[in-house]
Amino acid sequence: MSDRGTRTFRQIDAEPYSFPFDGHWSSADTALLLLGFQQGTIFALSATPAFTTALDLLSVALDRGLFVAASRCVARRDGDDVVPAEGSGGWDFPPQLILPDPALVVDHPGDNAFYRTPLEAELKARGIRNLLIAGLPTDGLVHATQRTANDMGFECLAVADACQGTSETRHAAQLRITTFGNGLFGTVASAAAAKVALTEI
């Protein structure tokens, strides 16, 4: 994480409104959530492009001083073949995903990174109120986590090209749902738009 002090950023060009809604966000009150980027899930969804985009965004976020949290989903008993079994080779993060020491890692059952984890408490203890969200799959872990975060009072942005669904149709549909009702569950933007806001002086 950057040691250059708190930085403020301009709004991100997002849909259906610029993020965040109130126009105020900084390295002190914003976190990047990396959801479900496990080796087996990336392979099952052929999600290397989304993972690569997320890694690039992670690099920028760390340079700008954002807090980072990552989640691993534990396979359900119904034999979901997208989520790898805990402790298996496919369950852990790929070696390319190098998290800093202050990063938080949570393991959770099902499609919600807040369920039975300390994620909410840890974010609020750090004064986090804005979330940039990337992960797999869009039509599962990403959307369920974002909806929950929204209900908890976090301002949320899904980074569209740093997410991937179980199909392109489901990915697109879930992002449309996110923006219903003038952003009922938050906003959606590209990684490029997020990076412009983070790096523009």
Side-chain angles (χ1 to χ4, degrees):
M1 179 177 291
S2 170
D3 58 0
R4 301 170 189 170
T6 299
R7 296 179 174 187
T8 58
F9 310 113
R10 76 168 184 83
Q11 284 179 293
I12 297 174
D13 184 13
E15 293 294 336
Y17 58 83
S18 295
F19 173 92
F21 183 78
D22 65 5
H24 302 290
W25 67 300
S26 72
S27 57
D29 61 20
T30 305
L32 172 64
L33 297 190
L34 300 173
L35 306 174
F37 283 114
Q38 295 155 265
Q39 295 183 69
T41 307
I42 294 169
F43 177 78
L45 297 178
S46 299
T48 298
F51 177 55
T52 301
T53 300
L55 288 179
D56 186 40
L57 182 60
L58 171 63
S59 177
V60 174
L62 291 175
D63 180 69
R64 307 305 281 177
L66 272 63
F67 179 68
V68 175
S71 85
R72 289 179 298 211
C73 188
V74 179
R76 298 190 298 266
R77 293 181 180 179
D78 62 7
D80 184 342
D81 61 1
V82 172
V83 180
E86 183 174 1
S88 69
W91 174 75
D92 212 346
F93 300 128
Q96 299 95 323
L97 179 52
I98 301 172
L99 298 171
D101 289 339
L104 173 69
V105 176
V106 297
D107 297 323
H108 53 90
D111 289 332
N112 189 336
F114 288 100
Y115 181 63
R116 294 184 180 178
T117 75
L119 181 56
E120 179 187 12
E122 292 284 351
L123 292 175
K124 290 186 174 179
R126 289 171 169 81
I128 301 298
R129 65 187 188 94
N130 303 303
L131 301 176
L132 306 181
I133 301 174
L136 311 171
T138 319
D139 51 310
L141 177 55
V142 172
H143 189 68
T145 299
Q146 182 164 345
R147 288 183 65 159
T148 300
N150 180 75
D151 289 344
M152 291 173 172
F154 295 102
E155 178 80 17
C156 300
L157 181 144
V159 184
D161 48 342
C163 300
Q164 185 165 316
T166 53
S167 72
E168 182 55 37
T169 299
R170 290 172 179 170
H171 170 76
Q174 209 67 67
L175 293 179
R176 284 196 301 272
I177 290 171
T178 299
T179 63
F180 279 176
N182 197 31
L184 181 61
F185 303 121
T187 59
V188 176
S190 67
K195 287 165 58 180
V196 165
L198 282 165
T199 58
E200 187 173 84
I201 300 175

